[in-house]
């Protein structure tokens, strides 16, 4: 059986709201100073990784609408955000916030 590597996955850019099929999306964030933050759910149902660290799964039915991103998961400079969305993206970008929304 031929195993695929993460680098073989065809990533889609966050440049439009896409629905209908599960897909991996990749975005990059350039930061100057690391700090704890939260990422808003980018879609209906899926999972998020930041620099290879799995933040967890999300589902828009709640109870919350953000996932915690600890400062040690980030690095000064370029950061990679990967989203696996099974349904539909909510917006054509990744959104971070300084407040946790737990519903």
């Amino acid at each position: 059986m031929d195993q695929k590597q993460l680098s073989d996955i065809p990533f889609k850019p966050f440049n439009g709201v896409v629905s209908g099929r599960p897909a991996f999306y990749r975005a990059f964030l350039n930061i100057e100073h690391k700090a704890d933050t939260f990422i808003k759910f980018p879609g209906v149902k899926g999972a998020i990784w930041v620099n290879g660290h799995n933040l967890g799964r999300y589902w828009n039915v709640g109870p919350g609408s953000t996932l915690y991103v600890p400062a040690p998961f980030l690095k000064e400079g370029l950061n990679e955000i990967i989203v696996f969305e099974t349904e539909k993206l909510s917006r054509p970008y990744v959104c971070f916030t300084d407040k946790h929304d737990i519903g």
Side-chain angles (χ1 to χ4, degrees):
M1 183 172 188
D2 187 24
Q3 289 190 321
K4 291 223 171 221
Q5 299 295 321
L6 188 59
S7 60
D8 295 335
I9 294 173
F11 289 103
K12 295 187 177 191
F14 277 91
N15 62 0
V17 178
V18 180
S19 65
R21 293 189 173 175
F24 282 92
Y25 297 87
R26 181 167 48 189
F28 295 95
L29 172 69
N30 195 1
I31 60 173
E32 293 181 18
H33 305 288
K34 299 187 314 179
D36 290 346
T37 188
F38 302 92
I39 189 168
K40 292 185 177 185
F41 296 171
V44 175
K45 187 190 292 187
I48 303 173
W49 293 263
V50 172
N51 293 326
H53 300 281
N54 185 341
L55 299 182
R57 297 178 295 170
Y58 63 87
W59 191 7
N60 70 348
V61 298
S65 64
T66 58
L67 288 173
Y68 176 57
V69 183
F73 285 10
L74 299 170
K75 56 187 175 183
E76 293 177 357
L78 201 60
N79 291 268
E80 179 184 52
I81 297 99
I82 295 176
V83 172
F84 175 65
E85 173 57 48
T86 64
E87 307 290 328
K88 174 183 170 187
L89 288 177
S90 300
R91 61 186 74 82
Y93 54 88
V94 178
C95 186
F96 289 86
T97 181
D98 61 349
K99 295 192 179 12
H100 189 34
D101 180 358
I102 56 172

